[in-house]
Amino acid sequence: KNEVEQSPQNLTAQEGEFITINCSYSVGISALHWLQQHPGGGIVSLFMLSSGKKKHGRLIATINIQEKHSSLHITASHPRDSAVYICAVNNYGGSQGNLIFGKGTKLSVKP
Amino acid sequence: DSGVTQTPKHLITATGQRVTLRCSPRSGDLSVYWYQQSLDQGLQFLIQYYNGEERAKGNILERFSAQQFPDLHSELNLSSLELGDSALYFCASSVTWGGGVNTGELFFGEGSRLTVL
């Protein structure tokens, strides 16, 4: 079993829909990261969370440490949100970039 | 633009060869991290350097090595290349090394795509 599991693997949505991507992990962590990877391959860090909730524009990320679960929400989705979203965790006590990655959720938003 | 520069963007080589990938971190960032993204393994952490010293090691093969130079740029050396080494290699940088304390986000380069034929 992978230490970081994401669901769903693939997601197709219509423009304007509310989207949720889930991430569960089985290790003790110091932080959880949400990353976005566009078809060209580049990776952008969206959020780094250790508790609670963060919001940036139409993106919201939440984490429940007790349940070892995080969600990434996209409100009013747009075709430009089409990308692979990757959840990654820092093992507790590990260095910042020593991440364990989920396999990613491929999101396609249709106009 | 993340401020992290990776070269080359694309590289095609043959089995048994050796290549060097280069990463220049964001100005002021002391930590550099290397990752491999392959179709079968997904993203994996390889190694981290902080201010010239190795800080953490992940799933890095013995055929691979890295170093960070005094100007803080880093190089990842891949030798005796095999078909399975074909992958996207990313580097990322951050201000500090963390050590269990979260001090900020990571900034990723665009990646170097290595194809081994």
Side-chain angles (χ1 to χ4, degrees):
Chain A
K1 189 180 188 299
N2 294 327
E3 291 165 300
V4 180
E5 298 271 5
Q6 286 186 238
S7 63
Q9 271 187 293
N10 293 284
L11 182 55
T12 300
Q14 287 299 127
E15 183 173 355
E17 285 184 0
F18 180 85
I19 287 162
T20 296
I21 299 170
N22 295 299
C23 175
S24 296
Y25 53 91
S26 57
V27 296
I29 69 167
S30 55
L32 182 142
H33 300 252
W34 281 103
L35 310 172
Q36 181 191 55
Q37 185 171 28
H38 275 283
I43 294 175
V44 174
S45 174
L46 298 175
F47 295 103
M48 186 181 73
L49 294 161
S50 53
S51 65
K53 176 178 172 177
K54 285 191 177 179
K55 185 174 190 288
H56 185 253
R58 295 179 295 105
L59 301 178
I60 303 165
T62 64
I63 188 168
N64 185 319
I65 297 292
Q66 286 72 32
E67 294 187 5
K68 295 190 173 180
H69 181 269
S70 175
S71 293
L72 176 69
H73 306 285
I74 305 175
T75 61
S77 59
H78 190 276
R80 65 175 174 267
D81 297 325
S82 298
V84 176
Y85 292 84
I86 301 167
C87 172
V89 301
N90 284 109
N91 250 334
Y92 187 77
S95 74
Q96 193 164 321
N98 186 347
L99 299 174
I100 305 169
F101 295 89
K103 294 200 180 299
T105 295
K106 186 174 182 180
L107 171 65
S108 178
V109 182
K110 307 291 185 192
Chain B
D1 182 8
S2 68
V4 178
T5 304
Q6 287 189 249
T7 56
K9 288 193 170 21
H10 301 274
L11 191 53
I12 301 173
T13 189
T15 54
Q17 295 299 303
R18 172 190 168 95
V19 298
T20 297
L21 309 180
R22 181 188 169 106
C23 171
S24 294
R26 280 192 332 152
S27 177
D29 284 358
L30 299 176
S31 269
V32 171
Y33 313 85
W34 285 98
Y35 305 93
Q36 180 195 58
Q37 185 176 37
S38 61
L39 281 174
D40 53 342
Q41 299 283 342
L43 268 163
Q44 293 188 96
F45 167 71
L46 295 179
I47 197 164
Q48 177 202 359
Y49 277 81
Y50 172 76
N51 205 19
E53 292 187 8
E54 183 185 303
R55 279 290 184 173
K57 224 169 185 175
N59 298 324
I60 188 166
L61 299 172
E62 283 191 16
R63 300 183 285 107
F64 296 179
S65 64
Q67 55 184 325
Q68 186 179 28
F69 294 87
D71 66 352
L72 300 177
H73 92 271
S74 177
E75 292 180 358
L76 179 67
N77 300 297
L78 315 175
S79 61
S80 302
L81 285 167
E82 301 175 0
L83 296 177
D85 298 327
S86 296
L88 256 175
Y89 291 85
F90 287 98
C91 83
S93 72
S94 68
V95 172
T96 68
W97 74 282
V101 177
N102 289 292
T103 53
E105 64 182 298
L106 297 170
F107 295 88
F108 287 81
E110 292 290 308
S112 292
R113 186 176 294 278
L114 173 66
T115 303
V116 182
L117 300 175

